[in-house]
Amino acid sequence: MYKLLISDDDEIICQGLASCIPWQKYGIEVTAAVCDGETALQCVKERRPDIALVDINMPFMDGMEFTEEAKRIFPELKIILITAYREFEYARKAIELNVSDYVTKPFSNEDVLAAVLKAK
């Protein structure tokens, strides 16, 4: 079973991603659904997920900072960034950080599922 961490500052999106996709059906367990980058990083340290689905815009530590720290600690972690920003600079930085995928809002559950299955 693959372990998935979900982190988005919008609690409705965060909880929706955790509960509206039948993760178990795909061999994935949601180990945590949190609303800020610092808590997400703590979850990575404690729960060691295989995949992290992370919003770029979060309080305390944004998704880019999270990605840098998480990859430094656990280079094998697959990270998928989600964002409402379509700016090239974010995409370029995501490539530099070796993220697995980059999904822009608005997205469908199918878009997210496809990105997670690709990372798996």
Side-chain angles (χ1 to χ4, degrees):
M1 180 87 47
Y2 283 78
K3 296 186 286 185
L4 174 66
L5 164 69
I6 298 172
S7 185
D8 192 300
D9 66 321
D10 184 323
E11 191 170 349
I12 293 171
I13 290 175
C14 190
Q15 294 304 316
L17 286 170
S19 63
C20 290
I21 296 173
W23 296 112
Q24 295 280 335
K25 175 180 172 182
Y26 299 97
I28 298 168
E29 171 193 5
V30 176
T31 60
V34 300
C35 295
D36 70 79
E38 284 183 353
T39 304
L41 188 60
Q42 190 61 38
C43 288
V44 165
K45 292 174 183 175
E46 293 172 1
R47 300 174 188 191
R48 299 194 69 149
D50 302 293
I51 304 166
L53 184 60
V54 182
D55 190 11
I56 286 179
N57 187 25
M58 295 185 295
F60 310 121
M61 175 184 281
D62 70 26
M64 294 298 199
E65 293 167 322
F66 165 85
T67 299
E68 286 185 67
E69 272 301 301
K71 284 289 207 175
R72 186 182 63 72
I73 298 166
F74 300 113
E76 68 279 2
L77 177 65
K78 303 288 186 184
I79 298 176
I80 301 163
L81 292 174
I82 53 178
T83 184
Y85 302 109
R86 296 176 189 261
E87 296 173 17
F88 176 74
E89 190 58 33
Y90 284 114
R92 185 185 64 74
K93 182 68 173 174
I95 291 167
E96 286 177 12
L97 293 171
N98 197 30
V99 300
S100 296
D101 214 333
Y102 186 89
V103 181
T104 56
K105 295 176 184 177
F107 51 75
S108 68
N109 288 346
E110 290 78 19
D111 294 335
V112 173
L113 178 60
V116 171
L117 292 178
K118 179 179 153 188
K120 179 181 166 190

